[in-house]
Amino acid sequence: MSFQDRQYYGGNQGGFGGMGGGGLSFGLPSLTPMVKYLLIANFAAYILQHLIFKGTFEGLFAVQGGGFYAIQIWRLLTFQFLHASPSHIIFNMLGMFFLGPVLERSWGGQRFLTFYLTCGAVGGLLYSLATILGVLQPGTLIGASGGVLGLMVACAILFPHFQVILLIFPVPIRFACVLFTIMYTLNVISSGPNAGGDLCHLGGMATGFLWLMGRPMMNKKVSEFKAESFQKKQQEQKNLEYEVDRILAKVHSQGIHSLTNREKQILQQATDMQKKNGR
């Protein structure tokens, strides 16, 4: 994610550039625990990457284009903590700083972390697949942009009143998401500069969108499935009880020896079910 594309969180809850109430708000959000840990981890990794283990971290932990590296699944997580330059990490962490806390407060730390890392990992996976298929030239992918852009999409869906600063102009966060999507898509299609990075950006944004929009639909489908399963089980129970009553009536009128093997199995099934239910 290039520094020209950075956005700053804003909204009624005090983010920089927010248009809350009657004008611009310049308050800073208070850090939440998981956001704080991620900021520390990213800056610590940057120090290790550039000051202590110069030139070796990318080879071990970045997403590399090509088939061999695709089996090294850990890279889909570790590449998100590596950055190419001071501006690269600073702008990514600004996005984390302004966008992350409001989502962590809404979701809790564990769900927030899962969402953030998943958005970044899918972006890295998409880039890796594109290089394997020959759509993009193999290279090295690092940076937290995919995850941060996933956070931006989540905020755009959940908090559409937020505004972000593009250059010097405040715009609705949803407008910014649409604009970035168009820009990144055009760059990927034209194989422009940092097309691989922009494909990762699109992957992170798409994951954020599907996560937020798809989960309610999935939860609804799961609820419907559970309801149908319960109704089916209830109907099967009624059918079994009906059969048991019929068989017992037959035993009363014709004797136990009149039962077929199938009827005996039904009685045994009902007996086993009663034992299982503690009756």
Side-chain angles (χ1 to χ4, degrees):
M1 187 176 184
S2 61
F3 71 88
Q4 294 94 338
D5 298 334
R6 305 301 167 171
Q7 62 284 332
Y8 298 92
Y9 159 85
N12 292 342
Q13 299 188 18
F16 175 77
M19 295 287 289
L24 289 173
S25 170
F26 295 98
L28 297 179
S30 59
L31 281 180
T32 48
M34 192 58 67
V35 169
K36 179 175 68 175
Y37 298 148
L38 287 171
L39 291 172
I40 293 172
N42 274 272
F43 282 111
Y46 185 82
I47 292 172
L48 292 174
Q49 176 188 359
H50 291 280
L51 300 182
I52 300 178
F53 299 101
K54 297 180 180 179
T56 61
F57 262 35
E58 291 87 342
L60 292 174
F61 302 119
V63 169
Q64 305 284 354
F68 171 75
Y69 295 102
I71 63 175
Q72 299 178 339
I73 304 300
W74 72 82
R75 293 175 181 268
L76 295 178
L77 295 178
T78 55
F79 90 98
Q80 301 181 53
F81 294 89
L82 305 181
H83 291 85
S85 65
S87 62
H88 191 200
I89 187 172
I90 287 172
F91 284 113
N92 272 336
M93 293 306 99
L94 280 174
M96 170 74 70
F97 178 78
F98 286 112
L99 294 167
V102 66
L103 291 173
E104 184 177 347
R105 291 191 188 96
S106 299
W107 292 343
Q110 184 174 358
R111 183 182 173 191
F112 167 78
L113 179 64
T114 301
F115 174 84
Y116 167 75
L117 292 178
T118 300
C119 289
V122 172
L125 179 62
L126 190 61
Y127 166 79
S128 183
L129 291 176
T131 60
I132 293 173
L133 296 175
V135 178
L136 294 174
Q137 292 297 317
T140 299
L141 180 70
I142 57 176
S145 303
V148 172
L149 284 165
L151 299 182
M152 184 180 180
V153 170
C155 286
I157 294 173
L158 296 175
F159 312 106
H161 60 282
F162 285 1
Q163 298 209 0
V164 296
I165 299 296
L166 294 184
L167 298 179
I168 60 174
F169 302 104
V171 299
I173 191 170
R174 290 186 174 181
F175 174 82
C177 286
V178 172
L179 178 62
F180 289 152
T181 300
I182 294 173
M183 290 170 50
Y184 297 149
T185 301
L186 291 176
N187 192 47
V188 171
I189 293 174
S190 63
S191 298
N194 195 34
D198 284 346
L199 184 62
C200 177
H201 299 161
L202 290 173
M205 296 178 75
T207 303
F209 179 83
L210 293 175
W211 183 297
L212 268 295
M213 303 303 291
R215 280 177 69 99
M217 296 177 60
M218 183 175 295
N219 291 338
K220 182 180 179 182
K221 291 295 183 182
V222 170
S223 297
E224 291 175 352
F225 176 77
K226 289 181 178 179
E228 291 175 0
S229 299
F230 178 77
Q231 293 175 357
K232 183 178 179 181
K233 185 177 180 180
Q234 290 292 99
Q235 187 60 47
E236 290 176 350
Q237 179 67 25
K238 290 180 179 179
N239 293 340
L240 179 61
E241 292 175 355
Y242 173 81
E243 283 294 297
V244 169
D245 291 341
R246 182 189 64 80
I247 294 170
L248 292 177
K250 182 178 180 180
V251 171
H252 180 72
S253 61
Q254 302 179 31
I256 189 69
H257 300 294
S258 64
L259 298 183
T260 65
N261 288 334
R262 174 58 182 163
E263 290 171 335
K264 292 177 181 179
Q265 290 176 356
I266 291 174
L267 286 179
Q268 185 61 49
Q269 180 183 353
T271 301
D272 294 341
M273 187 174 294
Q274 285 183 333
K275 291 179 179 179
K276 182 178 179 180
N277 295 333
R279 296 180 181 176

